[in-house]
Amino acid sequence: MSNERPPWMGVLEALHESERRLGLALDSARMGMWEWDVRSNQSVWNAKEYELLGLPVGEGQVPTDAFFRCIHPEDLTALKESLAAVLRDGSDWSSKYRIIHPGGEVRWLAGAGRVFRDDAGAPQRMLGVNYDITARKQTEAALRDSRAKLAAALASMTDAVSISDVDGRLVEFNHAFATFHRFGSKEECKPTLAEYPALI
């Protein structure tokens, strides 16, 4: 009896190692991974995907509608339309949307995916990832709020006020600054302090 290993054993081991490395990469990136069987409308999720959606980890296939039930009602139509367009046109999918955890917490996710088709060109399955961007969205919202407050404060001042970065580029200034330098509007103002020799 031969002790020689069949050639397919090496291929199988390489496949398992590849899957293990992919799992490690997704875990370290905190990404949920999903595969959607378009024909049966069933999906398979990794453990992180369940966690992102706020659901207990399950096994095997789940109805794809279970994912849609997690989507914020205000984002559901746009999300479904973006997926339908990808299935129809064949482009890669990318979207940002809100989900609602069973406890009521609202989180932001970003998703990306790719469609795989049969020989006739019909969509068979879609493979993709999701990741949480809630912190980024909160930072963006806080930044917008700060800018709005700064703009309101500057607008209320009658003195000419400007803020520049270390390179002398104007970051913000008020209307009084524009009129002081004999510009009709803020849009007409020069973008750098070097263009205001009187200031320097």
Side-chain angles (χ1 to χ4, degrees):
M1 192 169 171
S2 172
N3 289 331
E4 230 179 84
R5 293 191 337 150
W8 54 264
M9 282 292 289
V11 174
L12 190 60
E13 287 172 357
L15 179 60
H16 285 318
E17 178 62 15
S18 176
E19 288 177 345
R20 187 187 71 82
R21 289 182 180 182
L22 175 61
L24 286 172
L26 290 170
D27 286 345
S28 64
R30 302 186 58 76
M31 285 189 173
M33 184 172 145
W34 48 268
E35 183 173 354
W36 172 25
D37 185 322
V38 177
R39 292 171 176 172
S40 68
N41 204 30
Q42 298 285 309
S43 296
V44 177
W45 304 338
N46 71 351
K48 184 62 184 178
E49 180 71 5
Y50 283 96
E51 183 185 330
L52 288 173
L53 298 175
L55 301 174
V57 177
E59 290 183 7
Q61 294 186 330
V62 292
T64 302
D65 287 344
F67 167 72
F68 291 126
R69 285 195 293 272
C70 299
I71 306 302
H72 194 291
E74 293 176 9
D75 298 343
L76 183 58
T77 299
L79 177 64
K80 285 187 172 182
E81 287 175 352
S82 71
L83 287 167
V86 166
L87 292 177
R88 184 180 62 247
D89 303 334
S91 55
D92 287 345
W93 176 71
S94 178
S95 186
K96 295 179 179 68
Y97 48 89
R98 290 166 292 175
I99 57 163
I100 303 176
H101 282 191
E105 181 186 10
V106 176
R107 309 287 296 178
W108 274 94
L109 296 186
R114 176 166 291 178
V115 178
F116 295 87
R117 300 175 180 275
D118 61 20
D119 293 339
Q124 272 189 311
R125 63 191 180 98
M126 192 168 177
L127 189 65
V129 294
N130 287 324
Y131 51 99
D132 194 310
I133 57 168
T134 305
R136 184 199 311 172
K137 284 288 186 180
Q138 290 171 342
T139 301
E140 290 171 355
L143 185 58
R144 284 194 300 271
D145 186 51
S146 294
R147 284 178 174 163
K149 287 177 180 176
L150 176 61
L154 289 176
S156 68
M157 295 179 181
T158 54
D159 291 331
V161 179
S162 67
I163 301 169
S164 66
D165 63 17
V166 293
D167 295 318
R169 290 187 294 265
L170 287 175
V171 176
E172 189 55 82
F173 53 94
N174 61 0
H175 184 71
F177 178 88
T179 55
F180 177 81
H181 291 284
R182 295 185 174 84
F183 290 105
S185 67
K186 289 178 66 176
E187 289 72 25
E188 295 175 17
C189 289
K190 305 296 183 184
T192 63
L193 288 178
E195 296 171 280
Y196 298 88
L199 273 178
I200 299 170

